[in-house]
Amino acid sequence: MNFISTRGDTPALGFSDAVATGLAPDGGLFLPETLPQFSSDELKALAGLDYPALCTAFFRRFATDIDEATFAAIVAKSYTSFTHPEIAPLVPLADNLQVLELFHGPTLAFKDFALQLLGNLYEHQCAARGQTINVLGATSGDTGAAAIHGLLGKPGTAIFILYPDGRVAPLQERQMTCTGADNVYTMAIEGSFDDAQTALKDIFADQTFRLHHRLSAVNSINLARVLAQCVYYLSAWLRLPTAQQENVEFVVPTGNFGNVLAGWMLQNMGVPIRGFKVATNQNDILYRLFTTGEYKVDQVAPSLAPSMDIQVASNFERFLYFALGRDPSRVREVMTTFKATGEYRFESFDRSTFSASRCSDAEIPGIIKSVYERFGYVADPHTACAFAAPDSDRHSVVLATAHPAKFPDTLRAAIGVDPRHPSLEALKSRPIVKHPVAASADAIRAFIEARAV
């Protein structure tokens, strides 16, 4: 299978090259040339597979340039560090409500599902091609830690992570800055995640620099991340009773749109999911989009759910490509307008598949308390946003995106519980190593130049 850019000015690439490239040279995002379709018989055949086998079977539609045995070994290695035997367990809370727990990986966040796999794909590519690779990412919290732990100590790799200084949870910062690994560089910038992401895209647009340093993207702009996230939706859907499969809505805390885009892409591959609810915090650009049709940047307001403190959702461009009839010229037009004005209004916008909810900081502690009192379930602040407005006429599966132990202050204030996890406790005695860097492409480029492998 080949992969094409949303903006249409990059030659189609195979899977491995699209993964290694990350952001398309024309500034667009890679997508499959066509979305494969799963028949009902094919879905039934997948139902009995464990998680690694299901992931391998799913990716056989996409990673056609890696032989099946090699890819199966890469996948198997990627999920050995998950602590729950089901990898992504479904936890029932009520007759019409379940939680899909996505925090049993090494950094206790849903990003591990994709980034453990991506790290092992990078390692395979370095060995197979005899080349080094430098990986660059920006994070609002969980992506950085998961990306770092996917590449810790891997030969031939260096990883550079940008994050907004003082705007991630303290334990999230420690997961990034206390690894002690020689191939990890965490860059603390002044400003917001959006500032970091803008600088990152500017660097990837510098083709001479990107090619010279074999630079690859680890954010969800990387195609492999979105595809890997499709698998946990498929795993959950296959485990639902038939009646629930036909009426399920996945409720997804999201800021950068990659998490919910993965489910939507799976739906468009023939898996009959009824719909998706986009759950935002007070940085509600996606809520405003799906309720008004207007995509308009506002100021980022630091929140109790910091991983969603985003105003420019980079994965929205992939959705836009499909919404505009797969017309790259229209995508270029819209993205040019959006970059110049910070807004775009859709004249006609199909919202039949998506609904949305918004949750302010003032509401999050109360929701955490309500969920705890009603179900005895401890939800982190991001997952709490997904409980803001459930639909009683649908079977809801809430995606629990992070372990509550990553946000102890909020949990103590809300329910008097002090959640702990041994991997986080071990970090508290380790020194923080971070590098203050200006949020400019030039400063970041110079930092990478001095340390790239």
Side-chain angles (χ1 to χ4, degrees):
M1 174 180 281
N2 285 328
F3 298 84
I4 58 175
S5 169
T6 51
R7 301 192 188 182
D9 287 334
T10 294
L13 299 179
F15 176 78
S16 294
D17 285 332
V19 170
T21 303
L23 186 70
D26 61 9
L29 305 181
F30 285 111
L31 278 169
E33 202 162 29
T34 59
L35 289 178
Q37 296 299 302
F38 290 92
S39 69
S40 58
D41 287 343
E42 287 172 323
L43 290 172
K44 288 176 185 176
L46 295 174
L49 300 179
D50 65 15
Y51 197 93
L54 180 64
C55 185
T56 300
F58 176 81
F59 266 91
R60 291 318 303 153
R61 309 288 185 106
F62 303 96
T64 53
D65 58 355
I66 303 175
D67 72 81
E68 186 168 357
T70 299
F71 195 85
I74 291 170
V75 170
K77 182 180 180 180
S78 300
Y79 294 105
T80 56
S81 56
F82 283 66
T83 57
H84 196 285
E86 295 180 25
I87 309 298
L90 272 170
V91 178
L93 298 187
D95 289 342
N96 66 341
L97 178 63
Q98 290 174 285
V99 173
L100 179 62
E101 290 188 341
L102 302 176
F103 52 69
H104 295 285
T107 69
L108 312 181
F110 79 97
K111 309 292 178 73
D112 288 322
F113 281 84
L115 288 165
Q116 284 292 302
L117 178 60
L118 185 57
N120 287 319
L121 282 169
Y122 282 141
E123 182 178 35
H124 165 73
Q125 289 179 351
C126 288
R129 299 182 179 189
Q131 295 179 332
T132 58
I133 193 168
N134 294 286
V135 178
L136 175 62
T139 186
S140 55
D142 289 326
T143 291
I148 286 167
H149 284 261
L151 284 167
L152 276 180
K154 290 191 182 297
T157 70
I159 181 165
F160 300 85
I161 294 295
L162 308 167
Y163 73 97
D165 199 13
R167 295 196 185 190
V168 300
L171 287 173
Q172 287 177 316
E173 182 178 49
R174 283 193 169 275
Q175 285 184 310
M176 293 187 286
T177 60
C178 299
T179 67
D182 292 336
N183 68 330
V184 172
Y185 301 96
T186 50
M187 294 179 279
I189 69 161
E190 291 297 323
S192 69
F193 167 78
D194 290 329
D195 297 324
Q197 186 164 251
T198 297
L200 178 148
K201 289 185 175 182
D202 287 344
I203 290 169
F204 276 103
D206 181 346
Q207 295 305 306
T208 301
F209 183 82
R210 184 185 70 80
L211 292 171
H212 177 69
H213 291 296
R214 292 172 297 282
L215 204 63
S216 187
V218 77
N219 281 62
S220 54
I221 57 178
N222 194 302
L223 166 80
R225 281 204 39 196
V226 177
L227 293 179
Q229 290 172 215
C230 293
V231 180
Y232 52 68
Y233 285 97
L234 181 58
S235 173
W237 185 87
L238 289 169
R239 284 177 283 163
L240 295 173
T242 301
Q244 294 176 357
Q245 286 178 335
E246 296 172 352
N247 193 40
V248 65
E249 177 180 72
F250 286 94
V251 190
V252 189
T254 189
N256 216 14
F257 201 65
N259 199 5
V260 72
L261 176 76
W264 181 83
M265 284 179 60
L266 187 70
Q267 182 194 55
N268 281 269
M269 295 178 208
V271 180
I273 298 167
R274 179 170 173 181
F276 302 91
K277 174 164 283 185
V278 174
T280 72
N281 65 3
Q282 60 197 24
N283 296 292
D284 60 354
I285 186 171
L286 294 174
Y287 170 77
R288 288 180 278 118
L289 168 68
F290 288 111
T291 53
T292 69
E294 183 180 52
Y295 189 59
K296 183 177 181 180
V297 171
D298 203 346
Q299 291 295 313
V300 175
S303 79
L304 296 176
S307 294
M308 299 194 293
D309 290 349
I310 296 168
Q311 280 292 314
V312 181
S314 64
N315 266 285
F316 177 67
E317 183 168 337
R318 285 189 168 108
F319 176 71
L320 184 68
Y321 175 82
F322 291 103
L324 297 177
R326 307 187 186 205
D327 183 346
S329 64
R330 291 285 315 282
V331 174
R332 293 194 300 270
E333 175 189 334
V334 171
M335 295 309 296
T336 298
T337 299
F338 180 72
K339 185 174 183 178
T341 67
E343 61 184 290
Y344 185 82
R345 176 171 287 279
F346 292 85
E347 294 180 6
S348 60
F349 189 63
D350 180 13
R351 295 190 289 271
S352 60
T353 298
F354 291 99
S355 59
S357 63
R358 177 191 185 278
C359 190
S360 69
D361 262 17
E363 296 171 295
I364 287 175
I367 294 171
I368 293 173
K369 183 177 181 181
S370 173
V371 171
Y372 186 60
E373 291 176 343
R374 291 167 62 201
F375 307 117
Y377 190 81
V378 179
D380 86 284
H382 305 79
T383 305
C385 293
F387 283 96
D391 282 316
S392 58
D393 67 329
R394 299 185 181 186
H395 185 81
S396 294
V397 174
V398 168
L399 272 59
T401 54
H403 195 289
K406 299 181 83 168
F407 307 95
D409 294 344
T410 302
L411 271 294
R412 279 195 299 269
I415 55 176
V417 169
D418 190 8
R420 293 174 182 262
H421 192 279
S423 69
L424 298 178
E425 293 303 305
L427 295 174
K428 294 179 180 179
S429 60
R430 297 179 187 173
I432 290 175
V433 179
K434 63 182 180 179
H435 306 273
V437 179
S440 72
D442 286 343
I444 295 162
R445 192 182 290 109
F447 184 92
I448 295 171
E449 185 80 51
R451 296 164 178 84
V453 294

